[in-house]
Amino acid sequence: TLRLAESSLADAAASPEAASLALNHAVLAANRSLWDYRAAYTLGTILELNGDAPRAEAALRDAVRLSPNHKDANWALGNLLIREGRTDESIQFLRSAARVDGSLYPILYEQFNLAAGGEPKFADRLTASDPLARLNLALYLVEGLFGGDFDFDHACYLTSR
């Protein structure tokens, strides 16, 4: 049933009938596999595609609870929360995903730099006391220097901490 839900996911955006079928498969898979994060993750993804953000959030939270280090579940939940306007709440999930896959750090910083309106203190919210996250942010800022989009205020703020 999970495989049917996963394979239906690609077709879910094509038509309302396909979305309904994918949702039915995902609900069945999640009900049969209460301890499988993949079923909860697939259900959450399909629910969000169908516009049911509250139920999608619940399913994605289940996926993260069942597999706290699963980057895709954390990333999906964090992004859903951003789309719902709950930026501060999304940080822990996006940071968890980036810890697993360091290539997500630049995307994370760009999202929050835009969401924070260029406020230099966005770095504190993202990096907290995580030295690896702070180092990745410093690298992101330095790459901006050489790419021509360096933000001097952010760099000064970061290095003063």
Side-chain angles (χ1 to χ4, degrees):
T1 310
L2 177 58
R3 298 246 187 258
L4 283 172
E6 291 171 336
S7 66
S8 300
L9 182 59
D11 299 327
S15 72
E17 295 81 21
S20 178
L21 182 61
L23 181 58
N24 289 339
H25 288 307
V27 167
L28 190 57
N31 287 337
R32 287 185 178 172
S33 307
L34 297 176
W35 303 107
D36 188 347
Y37 76 90
R38 296 170 306 167
Y41 170 71
T42 302
L43 176 60
T45 302
I46 292 172
L47 284 166
E48 187 174 12
L49 283 173
N50 284 328
D52 191 346
R55 287 179 55 210
E57 178 184 343
L60 290 170
R61 284 186 185 276
D62 282 346
V64 168
R65 179 182 52 79
L66 293 168
S67 184
N69 294 321
H70 187 262
K71 76 169 174 129
D72 293 334
N74 277 289
W75 193 255
L77 178 55
N79 277 287
L80 181 143
L81 293 170
I82 285 176
R83 285 189 289 280
E84 292 293 307
R86 295 157 56 194
T87 306
D88 286 340
E89 195 177 342
S90 73
I91 291 172
Q92 77 179 76
F93 302 104
L94 296 172
R95 198 178 332 164
S96 291
R99 274 192 209 111
V100 174
D101 180 355
S103 71
L104 295 173
Y105 276 114
I107 300 165
L108 174 64
Y109 298 139
E110 188 63 29
Q111 280 180 326
F112 276 89
N113 190 22
L114 292 171
E119 171 61 41
K121 291 185 181 183
F122 89 96
D124 280 341
R125 293 195 324 233
L126 290 177
T127 59
S129 60
D130 183 346
L132 179 61
R134 254 182 145 45
L135 175 61
N136 274 293
L137 178 57
L139 291 171
Y140 168 74
L141 293 171
V142 169
E143 286 174 3
L145 170 66
F146 294 109
D149 200 18
F150 181 63
D151 190 326
F152 186 73
D153 290 337
H154 281 118
C156 288
Y157 182 81
L158 179 65
T159 56
S160 72
R161 304 293 293 158

